[in-house]
């Protein structure tokens, strides 16, 4: 066992031989002061128990713990030491040359050596009970039930009761913390704070440093961070995100609770201890995000990890400020703030970089994603995935609050019809700055898609391409937090645009087929006219159907809406014409084979459309009757 403190010049045995027992002092004479009498009585009471627990007086005292052996006697020990200290102060004020002071001082040295040993043992042997996680479950940093120090100046009966209460304490951490506070209070009030604090700092700092190490947090040079591949750095960031939760809630909070309680009698000692114990580990922990923000290499995923780290600090900001509220730990709060600032700058930089890439995106490099030709393009998919994830970060509002808004004077300024900026700032929007920035990025995407539309040779596919991509944008907005950022009015306007594009597609692609069917079958009066009409219908329908089989509409709702709209315009009229003339067409051989499609055949052919493969996909089939014409649609997203 390591020994702390000092060694008295005389051993306790020589001390006792040199100074007779107080019982052998002559009775007080009229010349003896009251302070002398109090000191003699105090020495008579204190000497037996203090000498008994002198580590150098016996092997028993050296290897046995006072607080573990007899908690009641431990309280009595503390009480007598406090009384001895008071008696010494009173005697010094009257007679600083009294020989009794020498005797008392020697006893005090023995007592402090004992308490040093007890303090060290309690800290060392109760690491489980003093684990920050156990301590941090406490609800208060200012008190631990009733402090035992409230009893140390009371009667022996009250000490006994207090000892019994201690033995019944269910929370081991609480009992150990009480003992440490008792010893610390006694040593500090007796002028031995330095010895007590030294032990505490050494043991508790090692626990904090070990905790930081076990959480996987390491101090990294900027050059090291810059050299790391994103996959490796991403793992370190994920580890940090878990570590900061535990460190703030458990490690640093638990240490603050313990330190505040043990040294509640001295604000300066509490601050000194907590600062030295935690500042180094906390600086490493909260310095990591700043290091990453300033020195990591660019990556498409970096912005999301940056936002994760920003959120981790921002969500715990009140706790960080509270836990590190001392003046000497203000550098930890400053470091956390610096990390927030640098993380925010990194997010704004990444957003600007994304915006630049989107603006410079060449329409020639836009490739198909979920479908060919007029399907949803990869640029749309990637951009909306990016933005929908961004919309989930509430901290983006704080980051963009003082950030850079979309440029007012750009080559393609965002019109008010696309996003009403004035309304977004007055309708109670949770974050006008974020809403505006998201709307601007979607506008850039839509502008690129409109450029692509101009390069389609087939006008019908141009309309469908525009509708498909705008529908995908809408779907991502509806299914994410972007819905609340952009608002229902924005969504309604885009829905209206999709419907108009779908109607335009239908008119261009299917208008000549629909127009080929007579609206009034009675207009066709001869078999030849009927034959020619059937031929036109067959030709137009076959050509259009064959062409549209390669077209894909990924969104099930939009796909079925378009098919239903075509069916409602085409099938009822065709069915009426079919019923009116199919019998006549079958009477003569020269008209045989003219009637190729029944209304049901035509309806089934329409059902096969817009899957991109030319083959019907039977998923969640629904049967719809349109004016007695059976038409099937599928719900494939």
């Amino acid at each position: 066992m390591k020994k702390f403190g000092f060694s008295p010049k005389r051993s306790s045995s020589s001390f006792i031989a040199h100074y007779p027992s107080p019982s052998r002092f002559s009775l007080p004479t009229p010349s003896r002061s009251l302070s002398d009498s109090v000191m003699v009585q105090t020495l008579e009471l204190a000497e037996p128990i203090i000498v008994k627990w002198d580590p150098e007086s016996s092997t028993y005292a050296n290897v046995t713990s006072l607080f573990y052996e007899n908690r009641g006697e431990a309280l009595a020990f503390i009480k007598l030491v406090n009384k001895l200290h008071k008696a010494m102060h009173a005697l010094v004020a009257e007679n600083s040359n009294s020989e009794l002071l020498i005797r008392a001082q020697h006893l005090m040295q023995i007592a402090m050596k004992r308490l040093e040993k007890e303090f060290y043992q309690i800290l060392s042997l109760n690491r489980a009970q003093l684990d920050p996680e156990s301590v941090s479950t406490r609800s208060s940093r200012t008190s631990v039930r009733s402090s035992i120090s409230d009893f140390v100046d009371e009667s022996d009966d009250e000490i006994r009761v207090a000892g019994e209460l201690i033995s019944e304490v269910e929370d081991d951490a609480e009992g150990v913390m009480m003992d440490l506070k008792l010893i610390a209070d006694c040593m500090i009030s007796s002028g031995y704070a330095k010895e007590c604090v030294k032990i505490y700092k050494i043991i508790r700092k090692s626990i904090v440093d070990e905790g930081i190490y076990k959480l996987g947090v390491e101090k990294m040079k900027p050059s090291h961070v810059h050299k790391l591949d994103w996959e490796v750095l991403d793992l370190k960031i994920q580890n940090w995100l878990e570590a900061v939760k535990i460190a703030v809630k458990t490690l640093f909070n638990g240490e603050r609770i313990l330190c505040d309680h043990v040294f509640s009698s001295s604000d300066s000692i509490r601050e000194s201890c907590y600062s030295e114990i935690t500042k180094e580990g906390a600086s490493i922990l909260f310095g990591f995000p700043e290091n990453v923000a300033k020195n990591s290499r660019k990556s498409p995923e970096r912005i999301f990890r940056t936002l994760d780290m920003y959120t981790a600090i921002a969500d715990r900001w009140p706790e960080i400020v509270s836990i590190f509220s001392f003046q000497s730990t203000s550098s930890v709060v400053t470091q956390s703030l610096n990390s927030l600032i640098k993380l925010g700058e990194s997010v704004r930089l990444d957003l600007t970089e994304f915006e630049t890439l989107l603006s410079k995106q060449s329409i020639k490099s836009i490739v198909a994603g979920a479908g060919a030709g007029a399907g949803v393009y990869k640029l749309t998919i990637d951009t909306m995935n990016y933005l929908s994830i961004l919309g989930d970060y509430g901290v983006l509002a704080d980051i963009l609050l003082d950030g850079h808004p979309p440029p007012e004077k750009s080559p393609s300024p965002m019109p008010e019809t696309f996003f009403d900026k004035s309304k977004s700032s007055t309708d109670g929007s949770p974050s006008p700055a974020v809403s505006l920035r998201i709307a601007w990025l979607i506008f850039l995407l839509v502008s690129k898609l409109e450029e692509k539309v101009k390069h389609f040779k087939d006008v019908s596919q141009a309309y469908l391409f525009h509708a498909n991509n705008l529908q995908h944008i809408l779907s991502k907005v509806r299914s994410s937090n972007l819905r609340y950022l952009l608002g229902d009015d924005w969504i309604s306007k885009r829905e209206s645009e999709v419907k108009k594009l779908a109607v335009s597609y239908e008119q261009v692609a299917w208008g000549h087929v629909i127009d080929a069917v007579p609206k009034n079958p009675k207009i066709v009066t001869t078999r030849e006219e009927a034959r020619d009409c059937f031929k036109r219908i067959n030709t137009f329908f076959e050509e259009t159907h064959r062409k549209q089989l390669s077209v894909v509409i990924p969104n099930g709702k939009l796909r079925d809406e378009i098919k239903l709209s075509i069916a409602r315009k085409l099938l009822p009229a065709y069915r009426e014409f079919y019923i009116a003339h199919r019998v006549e067409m079958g009477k003569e051989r020269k008209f045989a084979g003219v009637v190729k499609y029944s209304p049901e055949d035509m309806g089934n052919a329409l059902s096969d459309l817009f899957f991109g493969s030319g083959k019907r996909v039977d998923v969640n089939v629904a049967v719809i009757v349109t004016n007695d014409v059976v038409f099937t649609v599928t719900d494939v997203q």
Side-chain angles (χ1 to χ4, degrees):
M1 180 74 66
K2 183 178 179 181
K3 296 182 180 179
F4 292 87
F6 42 74
S7 298
K9 294 181 180 180
R10 301 182 179 87
S11 68
S12 57
S13 57
S14 63
F15 164 76
I16 295 172
H18 183 76
Y19 293 102
S21 170
S23 62
R24 293 185 292 179
F25 275 85
S26 58
L27 293 174
T29 62
S31 62
R32 177 164 289 169
S33 68
L34 179 60
S35 297
D36 283 336
S37 300
V38 170
M39 176 58 77
V40 170
Q41 294 173 3
T42 303
L43 288 171
E44 183 177 27
L45 293 172
E47 182 183 69
I49 190 171
I50 291 176
V51 171
K52 173 185 175 182
W53 289 101
D54 180 1
E56 297 183 2
S57 67
S58 67
T59 303
Y60 174 82
N62 188 42
V63 301
T64 307
S65 168
L66 169 61
F67 278 80
Y68 281 100
E69 183 70 18
N70 191 325
R71 307 293 288 279
E73 189 169 337
L75 285 178
F77 187 97
I78 294 289
K79 174 190 173 184
L80 289 171
V81 172
N82 286 336
K83 285 188 175 182
L84 180 62
H85 181 253
K86 290 179 181 179
M88 290 173 67
H89 267 283
L91 185 56
V92 166
E94 287 190 4
N95 182 10
S96 60
N97 296 320
S98 173
E99 289 189 358
L100 292 174
L101 285 174
I102 301 174
R103 183 188 184 92
Q105 178 60 30
H106 191 77
L107 275 179
M108 185 62 73
Q109 289 176 343
I110 295 173
M112 291 301 108
K113 189 172 183 179
R114 177 78 250 174
L115 292 181
E116 272 189 79
K117 186 180 181 69
E118 294 293 323
F119 197 71
Y120 174 81
Q121 286 180 329
I122 293 172
L123 284 171
S124 300
L125 302 178
N126 293 277
R127 292 188 59 157
Q129 290 84 350
L130 296 176
D131 178 79
E133 184 175 0
S134 300
V135 176
S136 63
T137 58
R138 307 200 52 77
S139 60
S140 172
R141 285 198 319 222
T142 58
S143 64
V144 184
R145 295 187 189 173
S146 296
S147 174
I148 303 176
S149 59
D150 296 337
F151 299 101
V152 297
D153 289 324
E154 303 301 331
S155 68
D156 292 338
D157 288 339
E158 288 169 325
I159 292 174
R160 178 183 53 78
V161 172
E164 292 173 357
L165 288 174
I166 294 171
S167 64
E168 295 173 1
V169 172
E170 295 179 358
D171 185 349
D172 290 340
E174 186 171 286
V176 172
M177 289 168 68
M178 287 179 176
D179 289 345
L180 290 172
K181 174 176 169 53
L182 262 178
I183 297 172
D185 287 348
C186 184
M187 293 185 72
I188 291 170
S189 64
S190 300
Y192 288 79
K194 182 178 179 181
E195 290 77 8
C196 178
V197 167
K198 180 180 178 182
I199 298 170
Y200 188 88
K201 286 180 178 179
I202 291 173
I203 294 178
R204 295 312 299 180
K205 187 177 188 304
S206 69
I207 290 174
V208 171
D209 291 345
E210 180 183 340
I212 292 292
Y213 175 78
K214 286 183 176 179
L215 289 173
V217 179
E218 57 181 311
K219 190 172 184 179
M220 300 174 63
K221 294 181 179 179
S223 58
H224 184 198
V225 172
H226 185 69
K227 291 178 182 178
L228 288 178
D229 292 334
W230 172 251
E231 291 75 14
V232 177
L233 182 57
D234 185 46
L235 290 174
K236 291 185 177 294
I237 294 174
Q238 291 182 57
N239 181 74
W240 181 89
L241 291 170
E242 291 300 316
V244 75
K245 296 177 186 176
I246 299 171
V248 174
K249 181 180 180 181
T250 300
L251 185 61
F252 296 127
N253 185 44
E255 284 300 324
R256 179 66 193 265
I257 292 171
L258 181 62
C259 195
D260 281 358
H261 179 72
V262 173
F263 298 110
S264 60
S265 63
S266 172
D267 291 342
S268 61
I269 291 177
R270 283 194 302 126
E271 177 172 353
S272 170
C273 281
Y274 189 70
S275 176
E276 187 165 332
I277 288 168
T278 61
K279 193 159 67 172
E280 182 180 354
S283 297
I284 294 174
L285 179 73
F286 294 113
F288 176 80
E290 180 181 4
N291 196 357
V292 171
K294 291 168 63 175
N295 301 294
S296 61
R297 289 186 287 182
K298 291 180 182 178
S299 170
E301 301 88 354
R302 185 177 74 166
I303 189 171
F304 303 116
R305 286 303 181 203
T306 305
L307 285 166
D308 287 337
M309 289 189 288
Y310 190 103
T311 302
I313 296 177
D315 286 351
R316 293 164 182 81
W317 185 251
E319 296 172 80
I320 294 170
V321 172
S322 175
I323 294 170
F324 297 98
S325 59
F326 293 125
Q327 181 63 35
S328 57
T329 56
S330 61
S331 60
V332 175
V333 178
T334 301
Q335 175 62 77
S336 302
L337 181 59
N338 287 340
S339 284
L340 283 178
I341 292 171
K342 293 302 179 183
L343 290 169
E345 290 175 357
S346 178
V347 169
R348 291 192 289 271
L349 180 64
D350 286 346
L351 271 178
T352 301
E353 181 74 15
F354 178 80
E355 180 181 317
T356 301
L357 290 174
L358 192 58
S359 299
K360 293 181 178 180
Q361 181 72 49
S362 171
I363 57 172
K364 294 181 180 179
S365 66
I366 301 178
V367 295
V376 180
Y377 273 38
K378 190 174 186 300
L379 178 66
T380 306
I381 294 171
D382 290 346
T383 301
M384 291 312 300
N385 285 343
Y386 181 92
L387 295 181
S388 62
I389 298 174
L390 273 184
D392 291 334
Y393 287 95
V395 294
L396 201 57
D398 297 328
I399 293 173
L400 295 181
L401 186 61
D402 299 320
H404 303 290
E408 295 292 335
K409 297 180 180 180
S410 63
S412 301
M414 183 169 61
E416 291 292 329
T417 54
F418 189 84
F419 186 75
D420 191 343
K421 291 181 284 187
S422 60
K423 186 175 181 179
S424 71
S425 60
T426 58
D427 66 354
S429 172
S431 175
V434 175
S435 300
L436 185 59
R437 193 60 172 268
I438 294 293
W440 168 251
L441 291 172
I442 294 178
F443 174 73
L444 289 179
L445 170 62
V446 172
S447 298
K448 286 296 173 183
L449 296 174
E450 289 174 347
E451 286 184 41
K452 181 67 176 177
V453 164
K454 297 175 184 177
H455 289 74
F456 275 86
K457 294 180 180 180
D458 187 314
V459 178
S460 67
Q461 287 215 357
Y463 282 125
L464 194 57
F465 166 83
H466 202 173
N468 272 334
N469 283 270
L470 195 54
Q471 179 63 46
H472 182 79
I473 292 171
L474 265 173
S475 297
K476 295 299 288 187
V477 169
R478 285 198 202 97
S479 62
S480 68
N481 198 47
L482 297 179
R483 176 179 192 133
Y484 306 104
L485 294 174
L486 296 175
D488 292 337
D489 183 62
W490 187 92
I491 292 175
S492 297
K493 288 180 179 179
R494 303 293 85 76
E495 287 175 339
S496 178
E497 291 174 11
V498 171
K499 289 179 181 178
K500 289 179 182 178
L501 290 167
V503 169
S504 296
Y505 159 77
E506 179 186 312
Q507 290 174 344
V508 174
W510 293 90
H512 60 297
V513 180
I514 295 169
D515 292 341
V517 181
K519 301 300 180 288
N520 185 355
K522 295 180 180 180
I523 296 177
V524 180
T525 58
T526 67
R527 294 177 182 176
E528 286 75 13
E529 289 178 346
R531 177 196 62 191
D532 293 341
C533 193
F534 270 114
K535 284 185 176 181
R536 282 196 306 273
I537 293 171
N538 293 340
T539 300
F540 289 158
F541 183 78
E542 287 172 354
E543 289 178 352
T544 303
H545 185 268
R546 182 172 58 253
K547 185 177 181 180
Q548 299 304 317
L549 270 176
S550 62
V551 172
V552 62
I553 302 178
N555 183 269
K557 183 175 180 291
L558 179 61
R559 180 173 60 243
D560 287 344
E561 284 177 353
I562 291 177
K563 286 197 287 189
L564 279 171
S565 180
I566 296 170
R568 285 175 180 139
K569 291 180 177 66
L570 176 61
L571 297 183
Y574 180 72
R575 183 179 185 81
E576 191 175 354
F577 178 74
Y578 173 85
I579 292 172
H581 296 284
R582 68 172 177 172
V583 176
E584 291 295 324
M585 292 296 99
K587 289 180 178 180
E588 296 186 26
R589 180 175 295 180
K590 65 178 180 179
F591 297 124
V594 170
V595 182
K596 287 187 176 182
Y597 302 102
S598 69
E600 289 74 18
D601 293 334
M602 195 171 283
N604 288 332
L606 290 176
S607 298
D608 295 338
L609 292 174
F610 308 135
F611 294 106
S613 62
K615 297 180 180 179
R616 184 173 173 181
V617 182
D618 294 321
V619 180
N620 296 335
V621 176
V623 178
I624 297 177
V625 179
T626 304
N627 291 356
D628 296 327
V629 176
V630 178
F631 176 64
T632 58
V633 296
T634 58
D635 183 19
V636 178
Q637 298 299 322

